């Protein structure tokens, strides 16, 4: 005899380790697998960039269909952080274009942003009257925190010259 184990992994493409042939969830996040009578195991969902709740589910002595084996998937959040330094010593109020939300440096020049695993973008600091040594930094399919993303600022100066006539 065989029985059906089913549920949702919370996301498309989740591998359900511990089940026969490690099935993968469908585009709606659902999975179904047939197991033999008396099956014992532990289902552990796995997808790069995601955490799952619960981390795993034990399944013991299967003697009937078991629906409702559900997991909640949540994307891993990463941090991009750094400091803008100058002269002046620190530059506050710099907009960090390309990061989610309205990320602006603090008065001390520091900034922090939370991004999804796999984040891709070009980040450009902008502030009127200021140029930056690194005009931008690009991120592609980010998989780890980036906590030392520093920029050097230079206040734009102008030379005014001329003659004072009599």
């Amino acid at each position: 005899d065989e029985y059906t184990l089913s549920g949702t992994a919370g996301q498309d493409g989740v591998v359900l380790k511990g089940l026969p042939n490690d099935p993968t969830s469908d585009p709606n996040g659902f999975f179904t697998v047939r197991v033999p009578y008396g099956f014992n195991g532990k289902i552990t969902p796995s997808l790069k960039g995601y955490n799952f709740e619960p981390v795993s589910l034990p399944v013991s002595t299967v003697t009937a269909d078991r629906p409702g084996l559900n997991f909640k998937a949540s994307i891993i959040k990463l941090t991009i952080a750094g400091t803008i330094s100058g002269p002046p010593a620190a530059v506050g109020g710099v907009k960090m274009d390309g990061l989610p939300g309205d990320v602006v440096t603090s008065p001390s020049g520091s900034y922090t942003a939370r991004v999804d695993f796999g984040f891709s973008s070009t980040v450009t600091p902008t502030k009127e009257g200021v140029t930056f040594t690194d005009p931008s930094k690009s991120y592609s399919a980010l998989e780890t925190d980036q906590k030392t993303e520093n920029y050097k600022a230079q206040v734009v100066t102008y030379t005014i010259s001329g003659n004072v006539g009599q």
Side-chain angles (χ1 to χ4, degrees):
D1 288 338
E2 285 192 330
Y3 296 98
T4 300
L5 303 181
S6 61
T8 180
Q11 184 67 32
D12 175 28
V14 176
V15 176
L16 296 138
K17 296 181 177 183
L19 292 174
N21 300 316
D22 293 337
T24 302
S25 61
D26 70 16
N28 296 314
F30 295 104
F31 69 92
T32 300
V33 65
R34 302 285 290 166
V35 297
Y37 176 86
F39 176 82
N40 289 296
K42 180 171 74 170
I43 306 169
T44 303
S46 176
L47 180 62
K48 188 175 186 175
Y50 286 84
N51 289 319
F52 294 91
E53 183 62 38
V55 173
S56 63
L57 282 174
V59 179
S60 59
T61 318
V62 175
T63 58
D65 289 345
R66 297 273 306 272
L69 298 169
N70 300 326
F71 297 90
K72 181 181 177 193
S74 58
I75 195 161
I76 294 171
K77 293 288 189 178
L78 301 172
T79 299
I80 297 177
T83 303
I84 309 273
S85 60
V91 180
V94 175
K95 173 113 173 64
M96 303 303 290
D97 290 331
L99 291 174
D102 290 324
V103 178
V104 177
T105 59
S106 70
S108 66
S110 66
Y111 70 95
T112 300
R114 298 287 284 164
V115 299
D116 288 345
F117 185 94
F119 174 80
S120 294
S121 183
T122 298
V123 177
T124 305
T126 59
K127 184 173 182 176
E128 190 171 330
V130 180
T131 60
F132 300 89
T133 304
D134 291 319
S136 64
K137 293 186 181 191
S138 293
Y139 302 94
S140 178
L142 201 61
E143 294 185 8
T144 59
D145 290 335
Q146 306 294 306
K147 293 187 177 180
T148 56
E149 297 301 293
N150 301 326
Y151 296 82
K152 197 105 166 125
Q154 176 88 28
V155 175
V156 176
T157 58
Y158 298 96
T159 302
I160 300 173
S161 64
N163 294 322
V164 178
Q166 294 200 9

